[in-house]
Amino acid sequence: MRILVIGSQGMLGRDLVNRFPNFSDSKFPCIEVVAANHKHIDITHGPNTSTFIAQIKPDVIVNCVAFADVDACETRISDAFAINADGAKNVALSGKETGAKIIHISTDYVFDGAKNGSYIETDKPNPLSIYGKSKLEGELAIQEISDNYAIIRTAWLYGLYKKNFVTTMLNLGRKNRSVSVVTDQCGCPTYTADLSYAIWNIISLDLRGLYHVTNDGTCSRYEWAKKIFALTGDQVSVLPVKTADYKRAAAVPRNASLNCAKYANASGHKMRLWQEALEEYLRQWNDSASN
């Protein structure tokens, strides 16, 4: 099986490239991973995307590319839609031409956060931000073009290879001995290593359609930060603030919790609790920082 990972230098993309070969088994004894970044393919350019994918001839395309700077999207609107919407469309069209399955990574930001309880896949999206609107447009384009796809909505990603909420908290806490974190934004912290395994499950089982995939459980960003310092033992004061007190360009969903029962039932795999994943991540992060 040949898997093309587009966005291979991103946080999730690097995890996929490193982990996919380790998932080989009797059903898929040979997994060839082709890593592609912006130097190899420009998904905002249809002909370039088509030519590159036709040359690779992948069985599966995992599109990890996103303009994910939520606040920057509010001013760079054309860039957001070019990457998150048109880019997804171009990948889907090229995948259809070559017969490749499309795995597309989407976001909890397609919802407005007004629901009481976790969002399921059939809940109606209502994005508040340009980022969310552009990601939703990408989802809709894929669904219109292809029937051989899996769209994976995930949330609050962190991993070893890029700056993220966890590393930001650690760095700020160790520098200032206090951090201010919002208490009224709730979601599902998700470790990219765990998400990588779930993506492989979706590929190997040939699951199709729309799935929510995060680590199990929800928390506020304030609770997440408190847990980070509890696990590291750092003596850092976590100060509660409200979203209204934290000035930013983009509106974000207050409740971004995703219900992942559909994925668990279809795959037979339930993602572990976010607290367990965070504990493992911090061990690995400390090990990598000391080497």
Side-chain angles (χ1 to χ4, degrees), residues 12 24 27 37 40 49 77 90 104-105 121 134 137 142 147-148 151 167 223 225 247 255 268:
L12 176 60
S24 59
K27 185 179 178 182
N37 57 49
H40 307 107
T49 303
I77 298 173
N90 290 334
H104 180 74
I105 310 303
E121 289 81 356
S134 62
E137 188 169 307
I142 294 166
D147 58 3
N148 188 14
I151 295 170
T167 57
E223 291 168 328
K247 304 303 180 184
N255 169 34

Side-chain angles (χ1 to χ4, degrees), residues 153-271:
R153 290 181 184 144
T154 191
W156 291 16
L157 288 185
Y158 64 95
L160 291 173
Y161 300 111
K162 288 281 186 176
K163 177 183 175 183
N164 56 72
F165 180 84
V166 181
T167 57
T168 297
M169 289 297 102
L170 290 171
N171 291 332
L172 286 175
R174 291 169 180 175
K175 178 181 179 182
N176 302 323
R177 312 316 302 177
S178 69
V179 293
S180 298
V181 187
V182 294
T183 60
D184 55 350
Q185 292 178 24
C186 294
C188 310
T190 306
Y191 183 20
T192 55
D194 291 2
L195 181 58
S196 298
Y197 181 73
I199 292 171
W200 171 249
N201 271 341
I202 287 172
I203 293 171
S204 64
L205 296 171
D206 195 24
L207 300 183
R208 303 186 185 195
L210 177 62
Y211 294 91
H212 292 172
V213 184
T214 67
N215 279 112
D216 192 30
T218 64
C219 64
S220 68
R221 289 194 180 272
Y222 174 81
E223 291 168 328
W224 189 9
K226 293 277 284 186
K227 188 64 175 179
I228 291 166
F229 296 120
L231 289 171
T232 61
D234 291 352
Q235 299 301 307
V236 176
S237 298
V238 182
L239 309 177
V241 295
K242 297 294 185 181
T243 299
D245 300 325
Y246 182 68
K247 304 303 180 184
R248 59 182 303 177
V252 299
R254 299 292 181 88
N255 169 34
S257 303
L258 300 179
N259 184 312
C260 302
K262 179 182 176 182
Y263 164 74
N265 291 334
S267 68
H269 168 235
K270 184 176 181 179
M271 297 278 278

